[in-house]
């Protein structure tokens, strides 16, 4: 996508967002290419994002330990008849 510098002045946030997602954004001055907006880091592929998500899930499963049932976690607040202590 080519955009004049004058037009880019009012659309900079949108142009930066598009460049971050991988779109090629070229700013022109007097009809000639002057500047190309590129992200600092290359966008991750869908497969790479899925790999990272799965790694985080596995790490969470490895750290999880069984504990008391949440259904009975506040029983200490009530007596045998179910009244507050």
């Amino acid at each position: 996508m080519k955009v004049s510098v004058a037009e880019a002045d009012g659309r900079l946030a949108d142009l930066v967002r598009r460049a971050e997602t991988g779109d090629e954004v070229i700013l022109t001055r007097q009809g000639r290419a002057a500047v190309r907006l590129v992200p600092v880091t290359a966008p991750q592929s869908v497969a790479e994002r899925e790999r990272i998500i799965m790694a985080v899930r596995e790490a969470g499963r490895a750290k999880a330990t069984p504990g008391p049932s949440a259904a009975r976690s506040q029983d200490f607040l009530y007596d045998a008849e179910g009244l507050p202590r």
Side-chain angles (χ1 to χ4, degrees):
M1 126 181 271
K2 291 185 179 182
V3 179
S4 71
V5 172
E7 184 183 344
D9 187 35
R11 298 180 46 199
L12 186 58
D14 176 53
L15 296 173
V16 168
R17 194 174 309 110
R18 292 183 73 150
E20 287 174 331
T21 61
D23 288 350
E24 182 177 82
V25 178
I26 297 175
L27 302 183
T28 61
R29 181 173 284 150
Q30 297 175 348
R32 295 191 325 217
V35 176
R36 181 182 335 196
L37 295 179
V38 295
V40 174
T41 59
Q44 296 175 339
S45 68
V46 172
E48 178 64 15
R49 287 190 298 245
E50 287 175 353
R51 186 193 66 74
I52 291 169
I53 290 169
M54 292 307 294
V56 169
R57 285 180 180 163
E58 288 302 317
R61 282 188 195 109
K63 292 178 183 177
T65 57
S69 168
R72 310 300 299 178
S73 65
Q74 296 186 4
D75 282 353
F76 68 94
L77 296 173
Y78 304 96
D79 64 17
E81 286 79 38
L83 297 173
R85 292 184 184 207

